[in-house]
Amino acid sequence: MNTLGYARRYLAAARESELSALQGLLSSGALLEGISALIHALQRERGASTLWLCAAAGQTTETLAARQQEADRALEAMIARLPPRRADGSRFYSRAALALHALSGLATLRDQVARRQLPHAEAMQHYSETIRHLLHLIVEAADTASDPQMSRALLALFSFMQGKELAGQERALGAAGFAAGAFSHAAQRQLITLLAGQDRSFATFVQFADDASLQAWRAMAEAGQETEKLRRIACSGMTTRGVEAQHWFRLLSERLDAMKQIEDRLAQQMLITCRRCIDRVAQTEGDDWTACGVGQGYSLYVAAAPWLEEGEGALDAGGVAPHLSRSLLAMLEQQAQRLQAQSDELAVMRDALAQRKEIERAKALLMQHHQCDEQQAWHTLRKMAMNQNKRVWEVARALVAVSSAFALPQKG
């Protein structure tokens, strides 16, 4: 029975499947751009709301309203990019539902902020929780990537967005402390935790980012001397006399705006990578095997093959010409090598993503059962890891496993 026709059909099906997945990722890329814009707008609104709640000089209702309008426009744009259907199941839909549910509370939150009916810390927590749900959509998109280049681009974008969000929380927390004229011990610890979290996120970004984005990041990675000075004042409990909250806010806002430019570059790079992958697959469609690496050397091992007089069972491309299509074998061998390289690289990246998910689940568990915020949960995990001389994700994995064994409910 000649199976060559079947092989050709399955090879064509593989190309069609890969092309479909890449086109889905291209659509996701547009969504990620929308999420990025919405997160940045919410970060700006959170900062303005913090200054307003702290009654910082120079903060007006007009400024607050302008930030809210920016966020509303970004929200409309993101919703317009939500896919009507995805083939990868319920997890994406669940994350999207949670994010949209959190966003539905913006009107109530804004009304409470306008009336100054909330402490700044509580308002900041509400904004941060909404942004956290949006960031989880990035995680889901990264977890569905099948091409290693796409996975790298998505992980670089997500890690950078996470670091930028921590920088946004630093801006809001610092503005509140300088507006109050002092930083409590809890605020000092939280700032230190935020700085450490930024270092981790940006270190992950550096591992997966493209060269152009890395060059742009290195040009602005180090904070200015004035910012570092204010950080030392905030984290050490030194007197804040003479430091205006608006000055801190302006310095950190300039840094965040510069980060947004790099974030946009990363999103564009992801789309460029996706289009290149689509072009590569499209160009190899059809039965033109000559464009698929014919002539590249390869070897097969055939055990107990009596027709081989030499080579100890090693069969080269020329030796199989009478029995199988040489071009088809070359194509299949090239495909196998490429898939193996992809599998190896994806395994590394998926391990990193899996560890990040374990940490997120453990933080959600601690937040639920100890009634603490995300930064406090992270601080608890770090302390547990240091006490046990283990890595944070190992402690997180053990904590999640224990909660499953005792059937403790989890969020996230």
Side-chain angles (χ1 to χ4, degrees), residues 5-18:
Y6 291 100
R8 286 194 174 114
R9 285 198 290 272
Y10 273 96
L11 191 58
R15 289 172 182 158
E16 291 174 4
S17 178
E18 185 177 6

Side-chain angles (χ1 to χ4, degrees), residues 140-249:
E140 291 306 320
D143 201 28
T144 62
S146 59
D147 185 276
Q149 293 180 344
M150 287 302 306
S151 293
R152 293 182 69 90
L154 285 164
L155 284 169
L157 175 61
F158 166 69
S159 299
F160 193 87
M161 290 180 73
Q162 187 178 57
K164 177 172 169 284
E165 162 56 10
L166 296 176
Q169 293 181 27
E170 178 195 5
R171 173 178 63 180
L173 184 61
F178 284 118
F183 285 84
S184 65
H185 291 300
Q188 293 171 34
R189 289 194 300 271
Q190 190 175 356
L191 278 172
I192 292 172
T193 301
L194 288 172
L195 290 170
Q198 289 177 59
D199 289 341
R200 289 191 309 274
S201 296
F202 292 133
T204 302
F205 150 76
V206 167
Q207 293 180 36
F208 297 112
D210 62 284
D211 292 339
S213 297
L214 280 176
Q215 185 177 358
W217 168 245
R218 287 167 180 154
M220 62 85 54
E222 294 297 327
Q225 292 183 356
E226 184 65 16
T227 300
E228 288 296 342
K229 176 184 175 181
L230 296 180
R231 280 176 171 174
R232 287 194 297 270
I233 292 174
C235 294
S236 63
M238 298 166 58
T239 178
T240 61
R241 186 178 305 166
V243 179
E244 295 182 357
Q246 285 282 359
H247 179 54
W248 161 268
F249 190 83

Side-chain angles (χ1 to χ4, degrees), residues 247-259:
H247 179 54
W248 161 268
F249 190 83
R250 183 170 58 256
L251 288 173
L252 271 291
S253 294
E254 291 173 356
R255 181 170 171 80
L256 280 166
D257 288 343
M259 288 183 185

Side-chain angles (χ1 to χ4, degrees), residues 105-120:
L106 272 179
T108 300
L109 175 60
R110 288 168 173 173
D111 182 67
Q112 292 175 323
V113 168
R115 298 172 183 271
R116 291 193 170 116
Q117 294 177 340
L118 279 180
H120 67 80

Side-chain angles (χ1 to χ4, degrees), residues 42-122:
L42 288 173
Q43 288 167 343
R44 286 165 61 86
E45 182 180 336
R46 177 181 56 195
S49 298
T50 300
L51 288 177
W52 170 257
L53 290 170
C54 295
Q59 191 67 11
T60 64
T61 55
E62 289 78 12
T63 301
L64 187 58
R67 299 290 85 82
Q68 293 172 357
Q69 290 169 7
E70 288 177 6
D72 286 341
R73 289 193 294 269
L75 175 57
E76 290 178 3
M78 188 208 73
I79 290 177
R81 297 180 180 186
L82 283 172
R85 181 178 179 184
R86 282 176 62 117
D88 50 351
S90 65
R91 286 189 61 87
F92 176 84
Y93 292 125
S94 296
R95 289 297 188 192
L98 288 171
L100 292 170
H101 180 264
L103 287 163
S104 70
L106 272 179
T108 300
L109 175 60
R110 288 168 173 173
D111 182 67
Q112 292 175 323
V113 168
R115 298 172 183 271
R116 291 193 170 116
Q117 294 177 340
L118 279 180
H120 67 80
E122 187 174 343

